[in-house]
Amino acid sequence: MRNSYSLYLLIALFIFSCSSKESYEAVSESSLYPGGDAATTDDFSVNAFGHAAPKISDAKQMQFVTGNAFFKRNWVTAPASTEDLDGLGPLLNAKSCSSCHFLDGKGEPGFEKGQSSALLFRLSVENAEGKVVPVPNYGNQFNHLAIIGAKEEGDVKIEYEEVKGRYADGTEYSLRKPTYSFENLNYGDIDEKVMVSPRVAPHIIGLGLLEAISKEDILAIADPDDKNNDGISGRPNYVEDVVEGKKVIGRFGWKANEPTVKQQVAGAFQGDMGLTSTIFPAQNDTEAQLLASIINGGEPEVTDDILDRVTLYSQVLAVPKRRNARTKNVVDGQKLFHEIGCQKCHTPSFTTKDNADIEEFSNQKIYPYTDLLLHDMGEGLADHRPDNEANGVEWRTAPLWGLGLVKTVNGHTTLLHDGRARNVEEAILWHGGEAQNSQEEFKQLSKINRENLIAFVNSL
């Protein structure tokens, strides 16, 4: 894949000093390969996110192919002649994994075009004892679809308000602020104190590489008490590893609420499609909905073999190589990215551990631009719904790799946990809380410097 690693030695890493006294890696040869030597591809087409890591074994390549098939095929209701793929519902948001992660890419809210399967809504209420629990009639996820014989839970209505702002140079901008309401409810009213967390499907490249980062390296950059006084206090979300039966660092999901790719996949089967597995053996409907008599697709509905294949598929999706990384505007944008402090949360690189579960992913220098930690992102983005140890204003730093290819793959540029940002510029402007200073510094930049910084992000 790489022309020659000797180039890496010749070019090496140039360390630049920025006006903010922060330092950063310039455009090293290795940084052009965000997925490391094992998991970077050079397809920049509509299929950019759909390739297996080129260095995985032939056996894993075969498992990737079958996992791909199960990822893309629609599940059906039980009983059916296709016993491996029945058991859908009774409540659901999608019929297949690719309904939300089309071409392994990023979903968009899509409400201007009708309700989207790619944007789901997590629900919680506080009970009499002060504990955060699922909503009695609707559980912990709102399902806007149902199979024959059941009623969908209802509809979600999104309304956007345009919020105007102005840069220091006088240029105006506008952000769309969403509000959500639930309509046509079929299982009774929702508690008026319900906590609602909208979450759009992210692109899913590089997940196995993120899983291969050691917990020690994640904890090494955590600073929950901001002891270095830089205004950034990233901390891990500790969540239940259902398989291991213990609390571990969460890595996946918008609030780092899942510890492993496998548990993330099993959770999506259950919450999004109503499919049980050995990890999550319960259906996603509630007792109050009286749907227990509907025939299931077996116990579990997703066999361990299928779960393993879809998990492996999700783990080994490769990361596209960077584009235009050495053009002047992108290099200038990279310098600005560091000068205004974006890298304090969007950690550019890690080296994966030497005993990764996917052995081909061991000892890889990768460039995900995330620290996998929770940060206070301010009231503007708050959902006010706790998730494990994450509070209502905290979100995990989203990886930035592949971001510039979302438009090519998925035909849109919407970003953030609910897709409210219509592009990178709006996503930056929504940053608050610990990222408020960086957002304010971005607003002070000239138009050409703002464009350069955005060009850098889109090169990742």
Side-chain angles (χ1 to χ4, degrees):
M1 177 195 321
R2 303 192 197 194
N3 293 329
S4 171
Y5 265 103
S6 61
L7 287 173
Y8 172 76
L9 296 175
L10 291 172
I11 297 173
L13 297 176
F14 291 91
I15 306 300
F16 287 74
S17 176
C18 304
S19 59
S20 63
K21 307 302 180 186
E22 295 289 342
S23 62
Y24 71 98
E25 292 180 22
V27 188
S28 66
E29 181 71 6
S30 68
S31 71
L32 303 180
Y33 300 83
D37 191 42
T40 301
T41 62
D42 57 3
D43 183 350
F44 309 135
S45 74
V46 69
N47 297 314
F49 297 154
H51 296 280
K55 293 292 181 68
I56 60 172
S57 67
D58 290 344
K60 290 190 180 76
Q61 289 281 358
M62 290 299 296
Q63 195 171 347
F64 175 86
V65 171
T66 54
N68 185 16
F70 286 117
F71 190 89
K72 289 182 169 56
R73 287 185 63 179
N74 282 344
W75 288 72
V76 298
T77 56
S81 57
T82 53
E83 293 183 359
D84 280 348
L85 289 171
D86 72 352
L88 183 71
L91 303 172
L92 60 142
N93 296 108
K95 295 179 180 178
S96 70
C97 304
S98 61
S99 297
C100 304
H101 304 281
F102 183 61
L103 293 175
D104 309 298
K106 190 174 182 59
E108 66 174 322
F111 276 74
E112 293 90 346
K113 308 169 188 174
Q115 196 156 341
S116 168
S117 293
L119 179 62
L120 60 83
F121 294 84
R122 296 282 170 80
L123 310 174
S124 296
V125 293
E126 191 172 288
N127 67 13
E129 288 75 39
K131 293 183 178 179
V132 176
V133 298
V135 176
N137 289 358
Y138 292 90
N140 65 3
Q141 182 167 318
F142 193 80
N143 296 116
H144 71 288
L145 300 174
I147 65 172
I148 294 174
K151 291 181 178 179
E152 66 276 9
E153 293 185 327
D155 300 317
V156 183
K157 181 179 180 181
I158 299 184
E159 295 178 290
Y160 290 108
E161 172 192 0
E162 290 293 332
V163 179
K164 304 289 185 183
R166 191 183 299 273
Y167 289 105
D169 64 7
T171 304
E172 291 186 346
Y173 62 80
S174 182
L175 304 176
R176 59 176 186 175
K177 179 182 178 181
T179 57
Y180 310 102
S181 58
F182 297 94
E183 300 180 335
N184 306 316
L185 298 172
N186 284 316
Y187 297 97
D189 293 336
I190 293 181
D191 191 310
E192 61 181 16
K193 295 182 179 179
V194 65
M195 294 175 276
V196 180
S197 184
R199 301 182 188 187
V200 74
H203 57 314
I204 57 171
I205 55 174
L207 298 184
L209 295 168
L210 297 180
E211 203 166 38
I213 298 171
S214 74
K215 68 177 182 180
E216 290 79 11
D217 284 349
I218 297 172
L219 293 175
I221 55 176
D223 186 17
D225 300 319
D226 192 22
K227 291 182 178 177
N228 62 2
N229 295 312
D230 67 348
I232 306 297
S233 55
R235 67 190 185 100
N237 191 6
Y238 285 97
V239 302
E240 181 76 11
D241 184 321
V242 176
V243 175
E244 297 294 329
K246 62 181 182 182
K247 287 230 174 175
V248 299
I249 292 177
R251 298 166 186 254
F252 304 104
W254 286 101
K255 285 185 179 269
N257 52 302
E258 293 292 356
T260 63
V261 176
K262 187 171 186 175
Q263 189 162 313
Q264 175 77 44
V265 170
F269 272 130
Q270 182 195 44
D272 302 350
M273 291 183 274
L275 295 164
T276 61
S277 64
T278 52
I279 294 180
F280 295 116
Q283 294 285 350
N284 64 350
D285 53 292
T286 69
E287 288 187 16
Q289 291 169 329
L290 303 176
L291 300 175
S293 62
I294 290 179
I295 298 173
N296 66 37
E299 296 179 354
E301 293 166 326
V302 180
T303 65
D304 284 345
D305 180 62
I306 292 176
L307 179 60
D308 287 343
R309 289 175 188 276
V310 176
T311 298
L312 187 282
Y313 173 78
S314 304
Q315 287 172 316
V316 302
L317 283 168
V319 182
K321 186 180 174 182
R322 284 190 63 195
R323 290 82 51 209
N324 307 314
R326 290 189 169 119
T327 59
K328 184 178 185 307
N329 63 325
V330 170
V331 172
D332 289 348
Q334 181 176 0
K335 187 169 183 287
L336 290 164
F337 184 87
H338 286 72
E339 285 181 349
I340 70 172
C342 305
Q343 89 293 349
K344 291 178 180 176
C345 301
H346 289 285
T347 303
S349 65
F350 286 93
T351 297
T352 59
K353 57 189 177 184
D354 58 12
N355 58 344
D357 292 341
I358 305 293
E359 59 184 5
E360 296 88 342
F361 290 177
S362 299
N363 297 310
Q364 297 293 304
K365 183 73 177 289
I366 62 173
Y367 292 80
Y369 283 84
T370 175
D371 57 10
L372 298 178
L373 298 172
L374 299 172
H375 295 276
D376 177 349
M377 292 300 292
E379 279 298 314
L381 292 176
D383 64 358
H384 298 292
R385 177 183 181 271
D387 195 330
N388 294 279
E389 295 186 10
N391 65 38
V393 297
E394 290 179 316
W395 299 93
R396 182 200 66 159
T397 306
L400 299 182
W401 52 16
L403 214 60
L405 287 169
V406 170
K407 184 175 183 180
T408 300
V409 175
N410 298 116
H412 68 85
T413 56
T414 60
L415 297 171
L416 297 178
H417 65 278
D418 54 5
R420 70 175 67 188
R422 289 166 286 204
N423 47 50
V424 172
E425 178 184 11
E426 291 188 16
I428 295 170
L429 292 168
W430 272 111
H431 280 51
E434 296 174 39
Q436 185 69 40
N437 288 340
S438 294
Q439 183 243 71
E440 292 292 343
E441 290 198 47
F442 177 75
K443 288 164 67 175
Q444 297 297 318
L445 297 177
S446 66
K447 183 173 186 294
I448 187 65
N449 280 340
R450 295 196 301 270
E451 291 174 348
N452 288 344
L453 193 151
I454 292 167
F456 165 68
V457 173
N458 281 325
S459 79
L460 298 174

